[in-house]
Amino acid sequence: MILIGTMNLTRTRERGEFYCPTCGATRSYRLRARRPFLTLYFIPTVPIGAAELFIQCDDCRSSWDESVLEMDQAAHQLVQEEKFRDEAIRSAVLITLVDDNVSEPEIQSLLELSDVLFDRPIDREELGRLCSIARQAGIQANNYVLTVSKRWTMQQRLLALQGMFLAATATEEDVSPEKLKMLQSMRDLLELTDQEFEVAIDDALNYDIA
């Protein structure tokens, strides 16, 4: 019986230093090439595809496209900041959807805080699209925040919390128990102390948000 199969072989082509987005610092890297081979009796014999090149950090082992070598620390931080703004707005939107009832004051609050608080203006059409996606996908605020906040700085966590608080309390009526419970859970999800949580909420009240 002739045993024929395939396997990937990975080799290091060169080494150097780069700014690792995961580590947030300059690290050594390896430019690696992964290529599939046809095997005969488990021995690689004939290459059957083009080599796939990728950058691997020697410290955290994260893998990146070669374009990561062209990104310096300032460029990476700018990209991360823009990503945070989008994530913070989505978090605020999800808070308003906790009780499945988004009021007009909450809509106005979301539109204004995206501009004033996060410096990332959105319109009603985009807001409606975000709400629709969240509902269709069944995205829960706590699960979303738990996932995305791992890469947030402390300052970003506090700012995102303030956005969620302002969105959830936009109406003059009593805030629903579901929203209050979700806001309280954010203290632990964002890994904040009681004092940090309370100060962030107090500071949020100073923003002039509708």
Side-chain angles (χ1 to χ4, degrees):
M1 179 185 298
I2 299 177
L3 296 178
I4 298 176
T6 61
M7 68 182 300
N8 289 321
L9 291 182
T10 304
R11 295 185 174 89
T12 297
R13 289 196 173 182
E14 65 180 52
R15 294 176 179 272
E17 289 191 343
F18 80 132
Y19 180 80
C20 175
T22 300
C23 297
T26 300
R27 295 285 189 261
S28 60
Y29 74 84
R30 287 181 290 172
L31 172 61
R32 311 204 73 191
R34 182 189 297 117
R35 191 172 190 181
F37 275 76
L38 187 69
T39 62
L40 182 62
Y41 295 106
F42 306 106
I43 300 174
T45 55
V46 181
I48 55 175
E52 176 191 0
L53 299 178
F54 63 95
I55 302 298
Q56 185 175 60
C57 175
D58 287 336
D59 191 70
C60 68
R61 299 297 179 183
S62 296
S63 296
W64 305 89
D65 181 84
E66 287 182 280
S67 61
V68 74
L69 298 180
E70 302 172 5
M71 185 178 293
D72 59 15
Q73 182 174 356
H76 171 70
Q77 290 176 339
L78 179 60
V79 170
Q80 290 297 94
E81 181 63 30
E82 292 175 350
K83 190 173 184 179
F84 161 72
R85 293 191 185 105
D86 287 337
E87 292 170 344
I89 291 172
R90 289 190 178 96
S91 299
V93 169
L94 290 172
I95 281 287
T96 64
L97 293 174
V98 167
D99 55 7
D100 202 33
N101 179 34
V102 182
S103 65
E104 182 60 30
E106 287 175 332
I107 292 175
Q108 292 299 325
S109 179
L110 286 167
L111 294 175
E112 190 169 350
L113 70 84
S114 67
D115 183 16
V116 177
L117 199 63
F118 301 124
D119 193 26
R120 201 305 212 169
I122 60 175
D123 54 26
R124 293 183 74 99
E125 182 179 354
E126 183 176 359
L127 177 57
R129 186 166 58 252
L130 291 175
C131 291
S132 178
I133 292 173
R135 281 174 168 149
Q136 291 176 8
I139 303 173
Q140 300 296 316
N142 54 350
N143 293 334
Y144 180 77
V145 171
L146 178 63
T147 300
V148 301
S149 65
K150 294 183 183 300
R151 53 179 170 265
W152 292 351
T153 65
M154 177 56 69
Q155 182 179 4
Q156 289 172 338
R157 294 181 184 193
L158 297 174
L159 190 62
L161 172 63
Q162 291 174 340
M164 288 185 277
F165 171 78
L166 291 170
T169 59
T171 62
E172 295 182 358
E173 303 173 359
D174 292 338
V175 182
S176 69
E178 294 89 350
K179 288 177 182 175
L180 285 175
K181 183 178 180 180
M182 186 63 70
L183 283 171
Q184 285 294 331
S185 71
M186 290 301 161
R187 179 187 55 198
D188 295 330
L189 291 177
L190 296 173
E191 299 180 347
L192 303 176
T193 65
D194 289 342
Q195 183 178 8
E196 289 169 338
F197 182 84
E198 292 170 4
V199 169
I201 297 301
D202 287 341
D203 289 345
L205 297 173
N206 294 322
Y207 287 106
D208 185 17
I209 302 293

